[in-house]
């Protein structure tokens, strides 16, 4: 099985920074892409950032210029550097990965359990 574990969430004041980490483990042939989503209370989960296997990135407009997504050399860990945090960034942040577990097998979507980010004003 594939498992994604997030870490790095916490409580910060507006204008502060946090770095989230997501480590993927288990039987994997390849990771097609990894990304971050977030869900605030009473709202639907929304896309935040994504990085593909070639290193191309994209972001939701509200975080452009403030957040940066990256991957480590082993390609099984993704990070989200969050700067200039705003109260509206408060949410549970979830890691997502598109994983091919075997050569020639299907690609499936996996989710982490989430990490809480709270930004106070």
């Amino acid at each position: 099985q594939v498992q994604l574990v997030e870490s790095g969430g916490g409580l910060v004041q507006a204008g502060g920074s946090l770095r989230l980490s997501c480590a993927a483990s288990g039987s994997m042939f390849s990771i097609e892409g990894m990304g971050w989503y977030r869900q605030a209370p009473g709202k639907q989960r929304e896309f935040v950032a994504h990085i593909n296997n070639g290193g191309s990135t994209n972001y939701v407009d509200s975080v452009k210029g403030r957040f940066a997504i990256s991957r480590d050399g082993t390609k099984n860990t993704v990070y989200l550097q969050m700067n200039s945090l705003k109260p509206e960034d408060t949410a549970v942040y979830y890691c997502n990965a598109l994983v091919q577990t075997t050569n020639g097998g299907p690609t499936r979507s996996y989710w982490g359990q989430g990490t809480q980010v709270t930004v106070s004003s």
Side-chain angles (χ1 to χ4, degrees):
Q1 60 177 336
V2 175
Q3 196 168 77
L4 304 179
V5 180
E6 303 101 330
S7 62
L11 174 65
V12 297
Q13 293 192 23
S17 298
L18 285 173
R19 190 178 78 153
L20 306 183
S21 299
C22 173
S25 62
S27 297
M28 297 175 288
F29 176 75
S30 66
I31 300 176
E32 302 302 314
M34 300 184 76
W36 292 93
Y37 292 71
R38 65 188 180 187
Q39 187 168 23
K43 301 182 68 176
Q44 292 191 137
R45 188 172 300 185
E46 69 168 346
F47 165 80
V48 177
H50 179 267
I51 184 167
N52 69 14
N53 207 39
S56 297
T57 61
N58 64 301
Y59 303 88
V60 66
D61 285 346
S62 61
V63 308
K64 288 180 179 177
R66 300 189 297 119
F67 291 10
I69 188 170
S70 61
R71 293 174 68 174
D72 72 2
T74 65
K75 301 180 180 179
N76 66 351
T77 302
V78 66
Y79 305 93
L80 185 67
Q81 179 66 46
M82 305 185 295
N83 299 321
S84 302
L85 283 162
K86 303 175 180 180
E88 53 261 43
D89 295 319
T90 295
V92 177
Y93 283 70
Y94 296 90
C95 179
N96 175 259
L98 293 174
V99 179
Q100 188 179 26
T101 56
T102 60
N103 189 8
T107 299
R108 294 189 173 96
S109 180
Y110 295 86
W111 293 91
Q113 292 179 300
T115 185
Q116 177 71 48
V117 172
T118 303
V119 184
S120 62
S121 60

